[in-house]
Amino acid sequence: MNVIGFLDRHLERIIVTGVLLTTTITLVVQVFMRYVLAEPLVWAEELARFLLVWCTMMGTSLAVKESRHIIVDFAPVLFGPRSIALFSFISYAGMLVFCGVILYYSIPFVQRVMAIGQLSPTLQVPMWMVYAALPVGVAFAAVRTIQAIYLQIRRPSDVVLGTPVEEAD
């Protein structure tokens, strides 16, 4: 398996797993330091909060990739199984529009925060790094949505609502 194929299949899962593992370890150490040694880590809660933001946004991309996002399937049930491909395409198109709007507004916002040079109170990391989770996560979700549309066009008979992008390969 080549590197690009490996990243295509596992990148979001690796990032989300790493972030969750780091958050868990940080919070366990924080609880130990606070309640056992009576010396709390002042930066642990802030780090956990920032990691949660990144986890949420990368998890969004993972949900799109694995088709685990919320699906309202009343229309295909109402109009029959032959309408699944149409409603799936409409859903993907709506997701792309949503991603485009979020990217359109979030990139300039991150650039403004970067220009201001705001730092987080405890960790003293640039706040743009935290806010960058939004455009990065949405960009990943848009790429995964485009992949799903491509697969639907390439093999329309394989389209089933809720089928992960990687399983349709």
Side-chain angles (χ1 to χ4, degrees), residues 85 88-89 92 96 145-159 168:
S88 179
F89 183 79
Y92 290 139
L96 276 180
T145 303
I146 291 168
Q147 282 181 328
I149 291 171
Y150 170 76
L151 289 173
Q152 180 176 344
I153 291 170
R154 191 167 144 211
R155 285 187 258 149
S157 62
D158 293 346
V159 173

Side-chain angles (χ1 to χ4, degrees), residues 52-110:
L52 182 63
V53 170
W54 272 93
C55 184
T56 301
M57 293 315 300
M58 294 310 293
T60 301
S61 174
L62 183 62
V64 171
K65 176 183 172 243
E66 295 181 352
S67 196
R68 295 188 185 273
H69 51 286
I70 296 173
I71 296 173
V72 180
D73 61 356
F74 74 92
V77 170
L78 187 64
F79 295 109
R82 292 193 304 178
S83 68
I84 290 175
L86 172 67
F87 288 110
S88 179
F89 183 79
I90 291 169
S91 171
Y92 290 139
M95 180 69 175
L96 276 180
V97 169
F98 175 77
C99 289
V101 169
I102 297 297
L103 280 171
Y104 180 80
Y105 288 106
S106 66
I107 291 173
F109 175 73
V110 171

Side-chain angles (χ1 to χ4, degrees), residues 9-44:
R9 285 181 168 51
H10 304 291
L11 180 63
E12 291 98 333
R13 188 177 309 274
I14 290 169
I15 292 171
V16 169
T17 301
V19 168
L20 284 175
L21 186 62
T22 304
T23 304
T24 302
I25 290 169
T26 302
L27 292 177
V28 167
V29 169
Q30 164 67 349
V31 167
F32 177 79
M33 294 294 291
R34 178 180 300 249
Y35 294 108
V36 175
L37 301 180
E39 292 289 330
L41 303 172
V42 294
W43 51 267

